[in-house]
Amino acid sequence: MANPPSALYPAPSVVLSVGGSLLNDGKPNAEMAKKLAEAIRSAGVPCGIVCGGGVQARKKVERARKKTGSEFEADLAGIKITYKNADALRLALGAEAGPKVFKDFKTARKAAGRQKFIVMGGTIPGITTDADSALLAEALGAKRLVNVSNTAIYDSDPKTNPNAKKFGTMSYAELISLAQKSDARMAGTHFVFDLLACSLIARSRIETHFVDGRDAGQLKAAILGQPHNGTVVRG
Ligand code: UTP
């Protein structure tokens, strides 16, 4: 994205998708938000950041689904929690993250150059914050995405298969094929990056890093596009 002449910062060239699993274990985890904010700030570069929902979102989604019988309403309940998590991270990042969490891509894009960190939660029902992060990267013209969770990509689930093999690098096609296999499995099991998000990074050739966000050094390296112990997906 071109910078306006009045820009204080370059537009972010990297977007982070921060997993709800890290940010919320029943309520926003302030300690983890602080740790993540320190690691993100230490990289020293502007970032777009999308926050997931975590345990609390899953509970609220389930409750809203039972109460309303509407998937749309259930998703809105999930989105509400992503805003709470995003706000906790925004506050931990300080003044350079601006005064608010953004709720749509066009408004978020307008803030590029004016603030160092552009923090979002979810946007519309029917998608996930994985897809939101890929869309924010497209909106900003960012060519690198970092999925910040607690895992790299494996050829099978390492929790159930002790022989699961970790990918150091893989292609978009390989990632899509793995996500498709996992999409066809039972409800409740979910792949580390959803299928829509995989398709979006592939169509815009956004290099995507999967890294353990609990390790500040690993996260910083991924933000800067340096080698790390996770997985890198590229063409
Ligand atoms: P996420 O699914 O993206 O967070 O949003 P998560 O799954 O907790 O994070 P990870 O992947 O496990 O780390 C929580 C819920 O909010 C709704 C969906 O119901 C989703 O399940 N949501 C989120 C939307 O409807 N639209 C969005 O744009 C984002």
Side-chain angles (χ1 to χ4, degrees), residues 18-22 51-55 57-58 61 74-79 82 121-130 132 149 190 192:
V18 186
S21 52
L22 290 184
C51 297
V55 172
R58 238 160 280 147
V61 162
D75 279 345
L76 288 181
I79 292 172
T82 67
T123 54
I124 55 162
I127 63 172
T128 68
T129 52
D130 291 342
D132 289 313
S149 68
H190 76 254
V192 57

